[in-house]
Amino acid sequence: PLSERVKSRDAFVYLDRVMWSFGWTVPENKRWDLHYKLWSTFVTLLIFILLPISVSVEYIQRFKTFSAGEFLSSIQIGVNMYGSSFKSYLTMMGYKKRQEAKMSLDELDKRCVCDEERTIVHRHVALGNFCYIFYHIAYTSFLISNFLSFIMKRIHAWRMYFPYVDPEKQFYISSIAEVILRGWAVFMDLCTDVCPLISMVIARCHITLLKQRLRNLRSEPGRTEDEYLKELADCVRDHRLILDYVDALRSVFSGTIFVQFLLIGIVLGLSMINIMFFSTLSTGVAVVLFMSCVSMQTFPFCYLCNMIMDDCQEMADSLFQSDWTSADRRYKSTLVYFLHNLQQPIILTAGGVFPISMQTNLNMVKLAFTVVTIVKQFNLAEKFQ
């Protein structure tokens, strides 16, 4: 309910629980610190290292047994899985930075004193948790549909290598092992994709609150110039906290989005080829769900980054349109300095190379059509059939 008092960090409740289960955080009780580190090491070795090796060994040992559809279904997920290992590692190593960012959120929450501002925070916290639930449903739907569409044909969905296990004679044992391991990898990928999105949702929440405060500057008659100046100084401090919050997360998201930008065109291209030339109705549904999940890894985050860049300009406009003309010299000099800072947009970059924006995302997606065009021009699909 909106009457319940929440904090901005509550937007990460579901996400933090899943990260904790993977060993990406720290235990609340220091007594279990050693056990938790051992669990974290086990999960890291299993999913980040052994799982990609298992898929690679299967390609080497049984490549001739793959049908074209099986190979494309496996390779499109395999390529994404290799990138997911890097993204997951970067997200896990960014734990301290995320905690530092949450400290900035706690300071920003202290400024939310009226019911209207608390309601805005509450709604964005609910939106952040909804984002996790929505992604969880989408990724789980892909995992289940892909598994069922192949197992009904008695075909392995992902073709992984397991020592001392014959994939044909022990079909169901190996298939269950595949879906369990792949499920872990999918949910790790889920964490790396949802974390940037929720973080920017909460950043935009406090940017929205700051815009309202800027519009309301000097709107209460009867106050002294010192009180008006303090009100402006508090807005300067809020803006500084927002920048500190984004800067703390910048290095974490830069690497994960860079990896995803490198992969999205290739992965979507392979998926489109699979749908156009090799998929049946049941496997096609699974591939479409997979393509939707891959698109969700960058599109919503890039869209939010574009909105935040626009918000920065709106903050400057809100400050300029406030009632400052009758203010004293101290207020005006502070306002000019603050206005200059507000006009600097908040821009995140992927790997320090690409600006994270819708334009960059679309440019990377265009690579998928390039891959399909090459396959059609050289009739590669017919040669695989």
Side-chain angles (χ1 to χ4, degrees):
L2 290 176
S3 58
E4 183 180 351
R5 185 74 176 270
V6 298
K7 297 179 180 179
S8 296
R9 62 167 60 220
D10 292 336
F12 301 90
V13 168
Y14 295 148
L15 178 63
D16 285 343
R17 289 174 183 171
V18 179
M19 286 187 173
W20 176 86
S21 68
F22 289 139
W24 291 6
T25 61
V26 294
E28 295 182 2
N29 192 333
K30 294 297 182 181
R31 183 178 60 178
W32 301 103
D33 190 57
L34 177 60
H35 301 80
Y36 191 77
K37 288 180 178 179
L38 291 173
W39 169 251
S40 177
T41 303
F42 168 74
V43 172
T44 300
L45 290 174
L46 181 64
I47 305 301
F48 294 1
I49 300 175
L50 296 181
L51 184 58
I53 290 176
S54 173
V55 175
S56 301
V57 170
E58 183 70 11
Y59 291 148
I60 296 171
Q61 288 196 345
R62 301 187 177 91
F63 182 78
K64 294 182 179 180
T65 65
F66 279 88
S67 66
E70 281 182 303
F71 177 73
L72 282 173
S73 296
S74 178
I75 195 67
Q76 70 191 21
I77 296 171
V79 170
N80 192 64
M81 181 178 63
Y82 298 136
S84 176
S85 296
F86 286 105
K87 292 194 302 178
S88 299
Y89 176 76
L90 292 171
T91 303
M92 181 178 67
M93 297 305 293
Y95 171 74
K96 291 183 178 179
K97 288 290 185 180
R98 295 198 306 274
Q99 293 303 109
E100 181 183 330
K102 289 179 182 178
M103 297 296 290
S104 297
L105 289 180
D106 292 339
E107 292 298 316
L108 286 165
D109 285 341
K110 294 177 182 178
R111 287 273 285 150
C112 301
V113 293
C114 66
D115 291 338
E116 182 183 0
E117 291 181 337
R118 290 173 182 171
T119 299
I120 292 174
V121 172
H122 196 129
R123 287 174 177 168
H124 281 81
V125 166
L127 177 61
N129 286 301
F130 173 78
C131 288
Y132 175 82
I133 295 172
F134 180 79
Y135 272 63
H136 189 97
I137 293 172
Y139 282 39
T140 303
S141 298
F142 153 70
L143 182 70
I144 294 174
S145 63
N146 196 71
F147 176 69
L148 293 179
S149 64
F150 279 92
I151 202 171
M152 287 189 296
K153 301 178 182 179
R154 198 178 170 79
I155 299 174
H156 289 278
W158 297 290
R159 297 291 294 264
M160 299 177 187
Y161 171 76
F162 298 105
Y164 310 111
V165 176
D166 189 316
E168 300 304 325
K169 295 180 180 179
Q170 298 169 299
F171 174 77
Y172 290 105
I173 294 176
S174 59
S175 295
I176 292 172
E178 284 179 3
V179 76
I180 291 174
L181 290 177
R182 186 59 198 159
W184 276 19
V186 165
F187 292 129
M188 284 186 177
D189 204 21
L190 165 67
C191 292
T192 64
D193 297 334
V194 174
C195 185
L197 181 61
I198 297 177
S199 299
M200 290 301 105
V201 165
I202 295 302
R204 193 156 189 267
C205 166
H206 288 284
I207 289 174
T208 301
L209 293 172
L210 181 55
K211 283 193 294 185
Q212 290 185 358
R213 293 168 190 151
L214 293 173
R215 281 192 291 265
N216 294 331
L217 286 172
R218 300 180 65 85
S219 61
E220 297 182 21
R223 303 182 71 176
T224 65
E225 288 297 328
D226 287 340
E227 289 175 330
Y228 287 139
L229 182 61
K230 182 181 182 302
E231 191 177 27
L232 178 61
D234 288 339
C235 290
V236 174
R237 179 175 174 271
D238 292 342
H239 183 247
R240 182 68 262 170
L241 286 171
I242 291 172
L243 294 180
D244 289 343
Y245 171 76
V246 175
D247 288 342
L249 298 172
R250 194 182 297 273
S251 60
V252 181
F253 300 155
S254 175
T256 58
I257 300 300
F258 178 74
V259 172
Q260 191 55 43
F261 274 160
L262 294 179
L263 294 178
I264 185 171
I266 298 173
V267 173
L268 288 179
L270 292 171
S271 300
M272 291 171 65
I273 293 168
N274 196 357
I275 289 178
M276 293 171 64
F277 301 108
F278 303 108
S279 289
T280 62
L281 178 61
S282 59
T283 58
V285 171
V287 175
V288 169
L289 285 172
F290 175 71
M291 292 177 67
S292 300
C293 293
V294 171
S295 300
M296 288 165 57
Q297 291 176 345
T298 55
F299 173 77
F301 182 65
C302 290
Y303 180 70
L304 265 180
C305 288
N306 270 52
M307 294 182 71
I308 287 176
M309 284 188 276
D310 294 338
D311 286 336
C312 291
Q313 182 58 48
E314 291 178 9
M315 281 195 295
D317 293 341
S318 297
L319 178 60
F320 185 76
Q321 293 168 7
S322 64
D323 184 19
W324 56 268
T325 53
S326 59
D328 61 13
R329 184 175 179 180
R330 291 182 305 161
Y331 187 96
K332 289 181 179 179
S333 61
T334 304
L335 183 139
V336 170
Y337 169 77
F338 188 26
L339 185 62
H340 173 73
N341 287 335
L342 286 177
Q343 289 173 331
Q344 310 302 316
I346 297 174
I347 299 177
L348 298 177
T349 59
V353 179
F354 311 113
I356 302 176
S357 63
M358 286 299 298
Q359 185 61 46
T360 304
N361 191 53
L362 291 174
N363 289 338
M364 295 300 172
V365 170
K366 288 178 183 177
L367 179 59
F369 297 96
T370 303
V371 173
V372 174
T373 301
I374 292 173
V375 170
K376 293 182 69 175
Q377 286 183 346
F378 290 93
N379 295 321
L380 297 178
E382 295 180 2
K383 296 177 181 179
F384 278 110
Q385 288 176 339

